[in-house]
């Protein structure tokens, strides 16, 4: 092994390392605050739409009104989606669509706000088309009058979505739009920093988000609540789960040491959804019990509800199949990824960290050094 000590600081996983500057969003984990360009997430969810929030992230301006319908799919994207096996991972389908779109449109460098809009509007159409194709159904053309969330539901189900469902999904994608230097956003910035194009940056970001350590699993929250079944069983279930050393899905966060503000915003939305009453009542009762048991069993830790918990309630409430949850999160994050691509390009410096070598010291190949 290389013995010489490298005196430079090293942080595994880059934890705690400040690797850039941004004016897009601030994640204040200690105080449970999340702001997009200064505006708190709870206000954005209450008073804004995803189209407005995306424009805010891209341009820094809050538009009085914004309209973002889903985009028609280029023929090559549709051909690629048709060629995928029906059991392909929806994230792979989305990544493929982005990649093909890039090959067809050949976006240049630096990326533009228009590129960001086009890619963000493409993603829901691509995901909806794949979701239908795998069921043997034909994709549906976008309705230009519908906003992104409503348009996605329409292209998925073939019927005009319920307004409350569309509003709830819109709220969900606002909370998922941006979250600082997470792994997928950082990936998008690294790719952009090489002066590669925005489609490559987003395709890479989707790849990073696909990993279970990042993309999260609100679907596991749904399974968990099914397993618990009733509020009365929650306490015993929580105790046994923690005693087995397992983690309870929808609780805890690497950054937030207070109640995740996105969970609070989504809980409000879920509470307003018709037809959710029973399921939500169970979710709220289980949440209270789990928080109490976690506080008792892990007294040294602050483990609060995270966004996945109420994301599960909303996504289940709007009728999405649970295997589409991670890819729906990816649709939401398009605004953030592309905003970061724009910001990176606006003051670009190639992102190229160093690595500490811990392999063998320099030596000769077997037989080569000995013959000298
Ligand atoms: N259920 C049970 N125990 C939990 C827990 C959970 N959801 N989250 C943290 N803990 C416990 C760990 O077992 C560990 O205990 P120990 O020190 O006795 O071994 C301790 O708390 C670690 O806490 P912390 O440092 O705060 O967590 P982390 O930064 O290592 O992990 C997560 C953060 C998100 C990975 C973790 O909380 C988790 O796995 N949560 C469940 C999955 C989830 O909801 N993911 C979505 C995140 S948005």
């Amino acid at each position: 092994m290389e013995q010489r000590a490298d005196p430079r600081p090293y942080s595994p996983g880059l934890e705690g390392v400040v690797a850039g500057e941004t004016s897009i969003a601030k994640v204040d984990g200690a105080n449970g605050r999340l702001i997009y360009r200064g505006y708190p997430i709870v206000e954005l969810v209450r008073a804004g739409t995803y189209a407005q929030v995306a424009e805010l992230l891209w341009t820094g301006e809050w538009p009085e009104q914004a309209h973002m319908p889903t985009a028609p799919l280029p023929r090559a994207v549709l051909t690629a989606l048709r060629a995928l096996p029906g059991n392909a991972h929806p994230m792979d389908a989305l990544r493929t669509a982005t990649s093909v779109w890039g090959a067809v449109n050949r976006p240049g460098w630096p990326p533009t706000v228009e590129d960001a809009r086009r890619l963000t509007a493409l993603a829901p159409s691509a995901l909806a088309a794949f979701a239908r194709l795998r069921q043997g159904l034909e994709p549906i053309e976008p309705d230009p009058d519908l906003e992104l969330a409503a348009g996605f539901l329409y292209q998925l189900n073939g019927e005009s979505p319920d307004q409350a469902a569309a509003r709830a999904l819109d709220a969900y994608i606002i909370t998922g739009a941006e979250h600082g230097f997470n792994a997928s956003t950082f990936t998008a910035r690294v790719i952009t920093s090489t002066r590669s194009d925005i489609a490559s940056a987003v395709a890479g970001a989707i790849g990073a988000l696909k990993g279970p350590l990042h993309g999260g699993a609100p679907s596991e929250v749904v399974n968990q609540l099914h397993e618990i079944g009733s509020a009365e069983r929650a306490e015993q279930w929580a105790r046994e789960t923690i005693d087995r050393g397992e983690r309870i899905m929808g609780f805890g966060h690497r950054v937030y040491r207070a109640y995740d503000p996105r969970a609070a915003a989504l809980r409000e939305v879920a509470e307003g959804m018709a037809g959710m009453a029973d399921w939500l009542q169970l979710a709220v009762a289980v949440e209270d019990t789990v928080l109490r048991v976690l506080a008792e069993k892990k007294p040294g830790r602050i483990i609060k509800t995270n966004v996945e918990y109420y994301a599960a309630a909303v996504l289940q409430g709007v009728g999405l199949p649970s295997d589409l949850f991670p890819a729906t999160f990816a649709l939401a994050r398009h605004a953030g990824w592309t905003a970061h691509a724009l910001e990176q390009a606006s003051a670009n410096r190639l992102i190229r960290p160093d690595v500490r070598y811990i392999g063998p010291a320099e030596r000769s190949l077997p037989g080569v050094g000995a013959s000298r």
Side-chain angles (χ1 to χ4, degrees):
M1 290 292 149
E2 179 72 271
Q3 293 301 318
R4 262 180 311 146
D6 186 335
R8 291 172 301 171
Y10 163 53
S11 173
L14 298 184
E15 195 170 343
V17 172
V18 176
E21 286 185 321
T22 186
S23 29
I24 300 171
K26 179 177 177 188
V27 183
D28 177 357
N31 297 303
R33 308 288 297 165
L34 170 63
I35 54 175
Y36 293 173
R37 297 205 184 265
Y39 302 118
I41 191 69
V42 175
E43 279 184 30
L44 291 164
V45 167
R46 274 191 203 140
T49 65
Y50 185 75
Q52 286 173 300
V53 167
E55 291 293 331
L56 172 74
L57 296 175
W58 294 326
T59 67
E61 302 295 325
W62 180 251
E64 289 275 302
Q65 285 186 337
H67 178 47
M68 185 165 34
T70 58
L73 295 176
R75 185 191 302 266
V77 172
L78 207 47
T79 305
L81 291 175
R82 285 187 196 280
L84 293 178
N87 65 355
H89 194 303
M91 292 286 265
D92 289 337
L94 193 57
R95 195 193 58 236
T96 301
T98 307
S99 188
V100 174
W101 182 92
V104 171
N105 288 283
R106 304 188 58 185
W109 203 93
T112 65
V113 173
E114 194 45 38
D115 293 335
R117 283 194 194 106
R118 291 174 72 199
L119 259 177
T120 304
L122 174 91
S125 298
L127 183 58
F130 172 71
R132 290 183 70 84
L133 286 167
R134 70 178 181 170
Q135 298 176 74
L137 300 169
E138 272 305 295
I140 290 173
E141 285 292 313
D143 178 340
D145 293 332
L146 294 176
E147 293 299 330
L148 203 88
F152 173 56
L153 291 174
Y154 166 66
Q155 285 174 270
L156 205 55
N157 303 322
E159 50 194 50
S160 283
D162 173 66
Q163 270 200 356
R167 173 66 197 128
L169 185 61
D170 196 58
Y172 168 73
I173 61 177
I174 291 173
T175 62
E178 159 61 10
H179 210 237
F181 258 36
N182 52 81
S184 59
T185 301
F186 189 58
T187 303
R189 287 193 77 129
V190 170
I191 294 173
T192 304
S193 83
T194 69
R195 297 199 179 181
S196 185
D197 64 282
I198 194 167
S200 299
V202 170
I206 294 170
L209 187 68
K210 186 186 168 197
L213 292 188
H214 183 17
S219 52
E220 289 185 42
V221 174
V222 174
N223 298 339
Q224 197 173 265
L225 283 166
H226 280 141
E227 193 187 323
I228 297 169
S230 72
E232 297 71 52
R233 268 190 38 77
E235 172 132 12
Q236 190 192 352
W237 177 89
R239 288 183 183 284
E240 287 172 2
T241 305
I242 297 170
D243 289 345
R244 282 197 303 272
E246 290 173 17
R247 301 211 166 181
I248 301 181
M249 295 298 131
F251 296 86
H253 199 272
R254 182 56 64 81
V255 178
Y256 289 115
R257 294 302 176 205
Y259 202 99
D260 184 333
R262 301 166 299 170
L266 286 180
R267 178 175 166 158
E268 215 174 274
V269 172
E271 282 169 349
M273 287 172 79
M276 283 291 294
D278 288 353
W279 203 81
L280 189 68
Q281 233 174 355
L282 176 65
V284 171
V286 168
E287 180 190 18
D288 289 345
T289 307
V290 168
L291 287 174
R292 184 164 46 73
V293 175
L294 277 170
E296 181 197 313
K297 296 253 179 202
K298 306 276 175 191
R301 306 274 177 185
I302 300 173
I303 305 172
K304 300 284 187 198
T305 316
N306 68 44
V307 65
E308 307 279 0
Y309 195 77
Y310 283 104
V314 169
L315 294 177
Q316 149 123 344
V318 303
L320 287 183
S322 61
D323 76 333
L324 289 189
F325 288 5
T328 307
F329 180 26
L331 303 185
R333 192 49 64 84
H334 269 64
W337 289 331
T338 50
H340 277 274
L342 296 172
E343 187 175 59
Q344 178 66 35
S346 71
N348 193 43
R349 175 136 181 95
L350 178 70
I351 299 174
R352 202 305 187 188
D354 235 329
V355 67
R356 182 179 284 177
Y357 178 69
I358 55 165
E362 187 171 332
R363 54 186 170 157
S364 287
L365 278 172
V368 175
S371 64
R372 257 199 260 141

